[in-house]
Amino acid sequence: MLDQREKQALMERACEIRKDIVTMIGVGKAGHLGGSCSLADIVTVLYFHKMRHDPKNPDMRDRDRFILSKGHAAIVQYAALMECGYFDKEASIHTLKKLGSHLQGHPDMRKLVGIEANTGSLGQGVSLAAGLAAGLRLDQIDSKVYVAVGDGELAEGQLWEAFMAASNFGLDNLRVIIDRNGLQATGRTADRFKIGNLEDKMRSFGFEVLVIDGHDMDQIAGALDRADEVKGKPVCIIADTVKGKGIPFAEGVAAFHNGTLTQEQYQEALRVLEEA
Amino acid sequence: MSMHNQRKEYGKMLVELGEQNPDIVVLEADLGKSTMSCMFEEKFPERYFEMGIAEQNMTSFAGGLALAGKIPFTNTFAVFATGRAYDQIRQSIATAKLNVKIVGSSSGMSDFGDGATHQSVDDIAIMSAIPNLTVFTPCDGVEVRKAVEAAVAVDGPCYIRLCRNDLEDIFPEDAKYRVGEPVVLRDGTDVAVFTHGIMAHGALEAAKLAKEKGISVKVVHIPTVKPLNEEAVKACAAGMKGIVVCEESNIRGGLNMLISYILRGSAIPMESVAVMDVFGQSASSHAELLQEYGLDAGSILEKIEKLTK
């Protein structure tokens, strides 16, 4: 459980991370604002509360790992890494997707410290995370592997292969976090491509399933703690979220999946986050 | 001449290397009794992952094992390893240079009975087109052992192409095996025949037949289509009346195109023996298919003679 002070600190962190996201995207350039903001609170709790990691020792063998299967939300991870001090924020924050930058459009572990895998082609992150979890278990390293998946991404068949494998191998060091923001690039997931009852599906694939409000710090931290008690099977945390969360004009708007901010929207977003 | 099967030599080598190196792990997509990964399973069940018939997940999962410091070998038929899981090799593994060894079994036309869906005519082209990959094309069982050992020494993704059927030993046991370096299997002065994989067998036979006709043929085997020492290829071709490039894979994107690029501007006459942009089909033997698609010793000899007329 979080005490009041911890909770307040995490909320402030999440606000900083959203500001970094907006700053990285900047004005007049496309950026994955919506799906980064929907994941911002979860990523904040992972990096600033839950995960065992050390920015000064990024290769620490028994660190917990976070992999973004929805690699297009890279900027939320970049923001968390720079806020943790993995790399210099001031030198990097205005270099997103620029030629030669280590802040690529999708996460690249060979270009940026703190990134655990290369993702971007949707549907592959859970397989990577499950293989990593299996490898850590072989070496009896007590690390957790967290992997974030988008709800639109669930149409990718490989994810379901990976879910079966995670269950088959009883990978209880693996946590699949589904960022259920209800929107994909072209509209509502419920309209564009129905996937049915997700909770039932994940249970039938052998997961312990927890459903939370993905913007409630207590619920996020609580679910991550509860996951540690599950033995013999993988855990799936279904987080109900709002795409574009924290930026009123972008909340629930599919166009901000990979939208462009005008000068006015950019200023407005930073102002709202400053006041939050 | 003794005969060996590349799959069995591979399986034995996996076990040997697995004994030496505890980080070697093996993944299989339900073809273990054919790919011979079953030999590793028997010896090291805790390091063996049966992934079910799910090649895409197997490939990315192997990437995850590499992230944990393991040296994973994935196993299935070449056509599925490189086609079904192409994007997983490219995205999960190659962009990050993950240390995964992808083994394509029953490659080329060697799965003669199963037909076009199971015969890989395109694996060399698609694996060569992915940056960061090393592509091994061993010619016999002896070389498979050297190739698998070399692949473990490479810190990065590798593709190893294996034949289904028994092959005569031709790779010199004492030959130094170096990634990227052509191996002269037979020296000659008139025509140089370049091969990869099993085509060395047909080329050596053709060289013998040519000798009877007074033509001296050099046979140069390419152990890794990628990387390939370009200067060494040029040196092997220098002074020849012409060259023949032979491969049991599609003319498009294979060794033929690579060598014609390497020798650009040299004006050396060149002939090709390759799958001419068609799929295979079922047949009663591998040899029958090699003949049908113009990949046999007789076809190679024809090209040699054409260059010396």
Side-chain angles (χ1 to χ4, degrees):
Chain A
M1 274 299 286
L2 301 170
D3 64 34
Q4 198 51 41
R5 219 190 53 194
E6 269 182 308
K7 186 174 169 180
Q8 187 60 36
L10 286 173
M11 287 165 68
E12 283 166 20
R13 280 288 183 195
C15 209
E16 278 306 310
I17 281 174
R18 288 192 169 89
K19 274 195 267 183
D20 293 344
I21 289 170
V22 171
T23 308
M24 271 186 274
I25 293 175
V27 176
K29 288 170 288 185
H32 287 99
L33 180 71
S36 298
C37 287
S38 64
L39 205 52
D41 297 305
I42 292 162
V43 165
T44 301
V45 177
L46 283 170
Y47 276 95
F48 290 95
H49 171 72
K50 185 64 185 171
M51 288 204 303
R52 177 169 63 209
H53 69 118
D54 179 2
K56 293 197 171 54
N57 187 11
D59 297 326
M60 184 170 77
R61 248 192 131 206
D62 65 345
R63 69 191 184 278
D64 292 332
R65 272 80 162 174
F66 175 68
I67 292 174
L68 260 181
S69 189
K70 45 174 285 184
H72 55 274
I75 45 180
V76 69
Q77 193 173 10
Y78 298 165
L81 291 172
M82 64 172 82
E83 289 298 331
C84 287
Y86 277 87
F87 55 90
D88 185 54
K89 176 173 166 177
E90 295 315 312
S92 302
I93 198 161
H94 296 296
T95 70
L96 180 69
K97 296 194 273 188
K98 288 193 174 152
L99 186 67
S101 171
H102 53 226
L103 303 187
Q104 292 290 299
H106 291 81
D108 188 330
M109 63 180 283
R110 298 300 179 195
K111 291 198 159 76
L112 185 63
V113 63
I115 297 296
E116 301 285 2
N118 286 17
T119 54
S121 181
L122 291 174
Q124 300 187 15
V126 177
S127 305
L128 281 161
L132 174 54
L136 292 168
R137 189 173 71 178
L138 267 182
D139 287 343
Q140 295 169 324
I141 295 172
D142 170 34
S143 298
K144 311 288 186 284
V145 182
Y146 299 91
V147 56
V149 180
D151 57 348
E153 186 185 1
L154 290 168
E156 291 281 7
Q158 188 186 340
L159 283 173
W160 301 92
E161 293 182 6
F163 294 154
M164 280 191 280
S167 173
N168 173 66
F169 295 118
L171 297 174
D172 55 18
N173 53 348
L174 177 72
R175 287 100 177 87
V176 175
I177 301 169
I178 298 176
D179 179 14
R180 186 160 66 178
N181 62 33
L183 291 175
Q184 54 195 89
T186 55
R188 280 161 34 94
T189 49
D191 297 333
R192 305 304 289 168
F193 189 79
K194 289 179 259 308
I195 59 156
N197 187 318
L198 184 56
E199 289 87 327
D200 286 353
K201 277 195 169 68
M202 293 310 295
R203 272 189 203 102
S204 74
F205 273 70
F207 278 71
E208 180 73 20
V209 179
L210 306 169
V211 182
I212 60 165
D213 174 346
H215 299 303
D216 181 313
M217 296 298 185
D218 287 319
Q219 288 192 38
I220 298 167
L224 293 173
D225 286 345
R226 264 171 51 215
D228 295 342
E229 292 156 21
V230 175
K231 299 292 169 220
K233 60 176 172 175
V235 177
C236 173
I237 299 172
I238 299 174
D240 284 313
T241 59
V242 175
K243 202 153 178 168
K245 175 73 176 178
I247 299 160
F249 62 81
E251 284 189 3
V253 180
F256 283 102
H257 170 80
N258 190 20
T260 304
L261 296 172
T262 62
Q263 181 68 40
E264 293 70 34
Q265 286 170 328
Y266 178 78
Q267 297 297 350
E268 168 72 3
L270 289 179
R271 188 187 61 75
V272 171
L273 291 166
E274 200 61 55
E275 288 168 4
Chain B
M1 265 297 177
S2 61
M3 303 279 282
H4 282 97
N5 184 290
Q6 289 196 330
R7 293 177 293 149
K8 285 181 192 148
E9 293 310 300
Y10 163 68
K12 280 191 247 169
M13 197 63 196
L14 263 189
V15 171
E16 273 178 44
L17 292 169
E19 272 160 2
Q20 296 163 20
N21 188 338
D23 283 330
I24 291 178
V25 296
V26 173
L27 299 89
E28 178 56 69
D30 198 35
L31 288 169
K33 290 192 174 130
S34 175
T35 65
M36 301 315 289
S37 74
C38 59
M39 294 165 86
F40 191 92
E41 178 180 25
E42 198 173 309
K43 191 85 195 221
F44 306 108
E46 72 290 348
R47 285 194 266 150
Y48 185 84
F49 294 87
E50 175 54 65
M51 302 303 296
I53 309 160
E55 297 80 7
Q56 301 173 40
N57 179 54
M58 170 172 75
T59 303
S60 296
F61 192 100
L65 283 160
L67 290 172
K70 301 295 164 195
I71 306 171
F73 279 76
T74 66
N75 295 276
T76 182
F77 287 178
V79 72
F80 309 129
T82 61
R84 188 61 176 259
Y86 167 77
D87 193 52
Q88 288 71 22
I89 297 173
R90 184 194 191 281
Q91 310 279 14
S92 290
I93 294 172
T95 64
K97 297 182 194 163
L98 297 184
N99 197 16
V100 177
K101 315 305 170 191
I102 298 138
V103 182
S105 206
S106 288
S107 68
M109 302 277 184
S110 71
D111 186 6
F112 52 86
D114 281 327
T117 56
H118 284 56
Q119 294 161 350
S120 64
V121 296
D122 46 355
D123 58 329
I124 292 296
I126 57 187
M127 290 298 97
S128 298
I130 301 178
N132 297 334
L133 244 75
T134 300
V135 180
F136 291 86
T137 48
C139 66
D140 67 1
V142 177
E143 193 189 352
V144 164
R145 301 174 59 81
K146 295 173 189 279
V148 173
E149 198 170 16
V152 171
V154 172
D155 181 19
C158 298
Y159 174 62
I160 307 171
R161 187 187 211 231
L162 300 183
C163 174
R164 183 184 185 88
N165 309 308
D166 293 353
L167 296 166
E168 271 185 15
D169 293 346
I170 52 173
F171 198 88
E173 266 288 4
D174 56 349
K176 203 162 185 189
Y177 184 92
R178 283 175 302 174
V179 169
E181 295 300 329
V183 176
V184 177
L185 296 175
R186 176 192 174 108
D187 218 345
T189 51
D190 294 325
V191 172
V193 179
F194 291 90
T195 66
H196 70 74
I198 65 152
M199 294 300 283
H201 298 265
L204 288 170
E205 200 186 325
K208 261 189 239 163
L209 297 170
K211 194 183 173 195
E212 289 165 17
K213 301 183 181 222
I215 308 168
S216 170
V217 173
K218 182 196 289 193
V219 177
V220 184
H221 166 64
I222 305 295
T224 55
V225 168
K226 182 172 155 175
L228 178 54
N229 181 340
E230 299 190 10
E231 293 310 313
V233 169
K234 284 179 192 168
C236 288
M240 295 288 151
K241 290 178 186 146
I243 63 163
V244 185
V245 181
C246 308
E247 56 190 324
E248 191 200 16
S249 52
N250 200 351
I251 183 79
R252 292 183 176 265
L255 186 65
N256 273 277
M257 287 197 171
L258 180 57
I259 289 190
S260 58
Y261 165 73
I262 293 170
L263 300 178
R264 68 195 180 281
S266 73
I268 189 164
M270 174 174 163
E271 290 293 329
S272 297
V273 169
V275 179
M276 298 312 281
D277 207 20
V278 292
F279 290 113
Q281 60 180 306
S282 291
S284 50
S285 74
H286 191 185
E288 193 181 15
L289 282 173
L290 293 178
Q291 193 176 9
E292 173 69 19
Y293 291 95
L295 306 171
D296 58 336
S299 303
I300 299 169
L301 181 63
E302 265 177 45
K303 305 285 180 172
I304 292 168
E305 289 186 289
K306 195 174 163 190
L307 287 165
T308 48
K309 264 187 190 133

